[in-house]
């Protein structure tokens, strides 16, 4: 599809969506007023038991699978639009970033610990390169704010994102959705479920592909930000008797995306400009297959997950839960870090990981006392290999070491100055150079935890919880960089171990408490207060350095990051639940705040930035306006900064990266019976965020601003459903008004003075057809 054809297609689709939306609004005006019966209240399992969300004394946002489907949310990063205090950044499936209340968890290092717990069917999958997954056939999503070590383990130092998939059922049901859109997008997803009294099964699947939305003019390289993603999830439920339920879930996902568009602002592609929103010339390395194991730019990633959960009702008050899980990922991403046509900074990342976890938990439910206690074991083994490739004269020319020759890195016409023939007096045309560095991490954690809630009176409920964790960590490091021919030393400022692996070990432990108080002012209004402690565990950072004895290990033990969270809020609703609202205020105090920085080799490492403070307010509102129309809105103000103290060095007073000061989101969900067997369904999401910094330094790199101004995005869906024949046709659009914005800036190239810029997705339009069988 040509550019002009795409523009015409967009205009037609936009006109159709707007007209349909206006029609939807007209039907809404004449719709009947709200039901007299009470609206069903949202329940969550945040505290390891089923509760109305209003009765949970922590700040939690929850979304049912039905709501996500109505809004058309099938990607993790879109959850940011409807959740205050949450930002999910997706450069690629290999590199997601989870931000809760300004604290980012996105390090790819196998030696560092996550800050945000990502839970999948009750199991911690927080390791960055293995944490991304497709949102298909989902039962519920819960986003919990503040340290939640007792509830979600030590990785939940600032909060948790918990996703639960739908389980098998006895009644037969099936559905399939087919879709198509611009950029040659295609998707198919669905499920089938059924069984008998004691054994039920379910099979859910998804497949989607789309051409890249950033044109790449480099020869034999794909357009960037294209996707090809497959997911399949078979599951079984065994119910041998009414007291025991066993769920076995296997999840397999395969990503084959065309890679991330790192665009240079210093040098334009041939015939182009330096705008991050225009085409690129990302060429990769001629040695890509040899050095990286992959000839083209992009991501090849496989994730496998097996989960066995058993719930046994021992009596009316006691329940035993066992969760056993094994997860593995293998992710290879090849990227052009300099964002130019030069053979300059060509990198890859080959990350692998395996984990096993086991949790045993005993729950007690009484009239006044509700509690749980248990033990958990977690074992993780992973590595991150970063190969590098360049042409020596191009590298030295681009970083300015050959400035005396008065040759630019890239000429105005887009040609690259390979100076090798000049420097070698014609003896060599190119001087290929390659090397790699790798970090390894082995982490074992054993935890004992207990949590107790007691109703002191009918109005007052007090909660206390405690987790003790003991960790054993082993970190390893190796690098292999030969001396360059021209510079007579490794090109990157890395002390090569010549493949030798250096290692260090450490054992750590901690006590992590939480205290909550919930007071019921009346049946519709609760107030709560909480104090909780979070921890991002110590990092054994292993590298290499030169000494009189030669190359020796460099070991830095970075202290644990501790967070004290103080919070108060209100949760309420009207008697019939037509209006639901929540407001929370928090103050967080960080000690030994850990930040991710890049060294001169582009290698990401963890450093101690001293102390930091975080204060904020979050609000949520949901209103059932009529029988057919629901409106929701959220707003957050978060002032997250490193303390303005001279002891914090250059980062003193800086705002946390990726966190806007203000975020807001609002949306409508509409369903209206047209008469007979037809129903009109539509939804609208509008989101806003204020400016953000992409790096902790909050400063330009090589003269280029590493930030993004305020962004407002709109998504719209309008569909026609036949309620008797169980089919629907839906038109959809995301980024409806085709706003230009950045996903990230700086990146690996920034460490070399070549910051790169990643554009956000343009307007996507499409149509979906769904058929259900029951």
């Amino acid at each position: 599809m040509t550019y002009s054809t795409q523009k015409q297609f967009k205009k037609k689709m936009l006109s159709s969506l707007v007209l349909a939306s206006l029609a939807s609004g007209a039907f809404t005006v004449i719709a009947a007023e709200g039901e007299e019966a009470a609206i069903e209240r949202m329940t969550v399992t945040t505290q390891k038991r089923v509760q109305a969300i209003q009765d949970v004394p922590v700040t939690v946002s929850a979304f049912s699978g039905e709501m996500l489907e109505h809004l058309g949310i099938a990607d993790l990063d879109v959850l940011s639009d409807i959740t205050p205090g949450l930002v999910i950044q997706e450069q690629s499936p290999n590199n997601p970033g989870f931000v809760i209340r300004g604290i980012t968890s996105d390090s790819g290092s196998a030696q560092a610990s996550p800050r945000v717990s990502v839970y999948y069917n009750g199991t911690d999958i927080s390791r960055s390169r293995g944490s991304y997954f497709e949102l298909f056939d989902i039962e519920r999503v819960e986003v919990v704010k503040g340290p939640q070590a007792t509830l979600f383990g030590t990785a939940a130092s600032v909060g948790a994102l918990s996703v639960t998939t739908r389980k098998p059922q006895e009644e037969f049901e099936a559905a399939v959705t087919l879709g198509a859109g611009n950029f040659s997008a295609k998707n198919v997803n669905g499920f089938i479920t059924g069984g008998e009294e004691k054994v039920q099964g379910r099979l859910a699947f998804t497949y989607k592909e789309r051409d890249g939305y950033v044109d790449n003019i480099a020869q034999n390289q794909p357009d960037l930000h294209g996707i090809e993603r497959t997911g399949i999830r078979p599951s079984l439920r065994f119910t041998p008797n009414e007291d025991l339920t066993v769920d076995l879930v296997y999840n397999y996902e395969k990503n084959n995306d065309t890679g991330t568009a790192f665009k240079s602002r210093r040098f334009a592609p041939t015939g182009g400009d330096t705008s991050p929103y225009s085409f690129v010339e990302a060429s990769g390395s001629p040695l890509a297959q040899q050095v990286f194991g992959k000839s083209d730019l992009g991501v090849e990633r496989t994730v496998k997950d097996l989960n066995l959960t058993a719930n046994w009702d021992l009596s009316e008050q006691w329940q035993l839960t066992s969760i056993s899980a094994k997860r593995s990922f293998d992710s290879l991403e090849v990227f052009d870090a300099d964002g130019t046509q030069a053979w300059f900074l060509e990198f890859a990342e080959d990350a692998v990981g395996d984990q096993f976890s086991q949790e045993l938990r005993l729950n007690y439910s009484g009239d006044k006392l509700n509690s749980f206690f248990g033990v958990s074991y977690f074992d993780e083994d992973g590595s991150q290999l970063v190969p590098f490739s360049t042409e020596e004269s191009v590298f030295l020319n681009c970083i300015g070491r050959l400035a005396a020759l008065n040759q630019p890195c890239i000429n105005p016409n887009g040609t690259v100055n390979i100076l090798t023939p000049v420097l070698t007096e014609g003896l060599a045309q190119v001087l290929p150079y390659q090397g790699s560095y790798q970090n390894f991490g082995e982490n074992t954690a054993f935890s004992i935890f207990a949590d107790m809630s007691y109703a002191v009176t009918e109005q007052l409920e007090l909660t206390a919880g405690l987790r003790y964790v003991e960790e054993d960590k082993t970190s390893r490091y190796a690098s292999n960089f030969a001396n360059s021919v021209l510079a007579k030393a490794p090109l990157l400022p890395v002390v090569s171990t010549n493949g030798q692996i250096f290692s260090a070990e450490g054992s750590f432990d901690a006590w992590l408490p939480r205290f909550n108080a919930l007071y019921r002012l009346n049946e519709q209004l609760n107030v709560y207060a909480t104090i909780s402690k979070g921890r991002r565990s110590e990092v054994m950072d292993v590298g290499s350095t030169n000494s009189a004895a030669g190359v020796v290990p460099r070991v830095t033990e970075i202290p644990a990051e501790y967070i004290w969270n103080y919070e108060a809020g209100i949760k309420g609703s009207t008697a019939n639940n037509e209006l639901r609202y929540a407001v929370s205020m928090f103050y967080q105090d960080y000690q030994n705040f850990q930040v991710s920085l890049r060294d001169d080799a582009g290698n990401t490492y963890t450093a101690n930035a001293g102390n930091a403070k975080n204060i904020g307010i979050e609000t949520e509102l949901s209103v059932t306006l009529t029988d057919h129309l629901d409106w929701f809105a959220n707003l957050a103000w978060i002032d997250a900064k490193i303390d303005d103290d001279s002891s914090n060095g250059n980062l003193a007073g800086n705002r946390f990266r990726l966190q806007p000061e203000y975020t807001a989101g609002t949306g409508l969900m509409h369903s209206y019976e047209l008469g007979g067997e037809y129903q009109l369904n539509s939804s609208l999401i509008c989101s806003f965020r204020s400016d953000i910094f992409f790096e902790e330094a909050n400063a330009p790199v090589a003269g280029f601003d590493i930030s993004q101004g305020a962004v407002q995005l709109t998504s719209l869906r309008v569909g026609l459903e036949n309620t008797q024949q169980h089919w629907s046709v839906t038109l959809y659009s995301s980024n409806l008004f085709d706003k230009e914005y950045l996903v990230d800036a700086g990146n690996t190239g920034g460490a070399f003075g070549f910051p790169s810029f990643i554009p956000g997705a343009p307007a996507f339009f499409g149509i979906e057809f769904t058929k259900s069988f029951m």
Side-chain angles (χ1 to χ4, degrees), residues 121 139 164-169 193 202 235 237 247 249:
N121 287 327
E139 177 184 310
T164 304
T165 61
R166 287 181 175 140
K167 300 303 187 291
Q169 62 189 44
T193 186
R202 190 179 190 100
S235 55
R237 168 163 282 188
D247 286 301
V249 182

Side-chain angles (χ1 to χ4, degrees), residues 96-99 103-107 113-116 126 128 536 657:
F98 297 90
V99 187
I103 307 301
T104 301
S105 185
D106 65 348
S107 175
S113 298
R115 282 192 179 110
V116 175
S126 304
S128 172
R536 189 190 196 193
R657 59 185 288 260

Side-chain angles (χ1 to χ4, degrees), residues 107-166:
S107 175
S109 171
Q111 299 177 4
S113 298
R115 282 192 179 110
V116 175
S117 271
V118 181
Y119 259 59
Y120 192 72
N121 287 327
T123 299
D124 187 344
I125 60 166
S126 304
R127 179 59 55 190
S128 172
R129 286 359 183 200
S131 61
Y132 181 86
F133 53 89
E134 299 294 315
L135 285 178
F136 67 103
D137 205 35
I138 298 300
E139 177 184 310
R140 185 177 63 256
V141 174
E142 299 176 25
V143 183
V144 190
K145 314 335 175 11
Q148 303 297 338
T150 304
L151 302 176
F152 292 101
T154 55
S157 62
V158 296
L161 169 68
S162 178
V163 176
T164 304
T165 61
R166 287 181 175 140

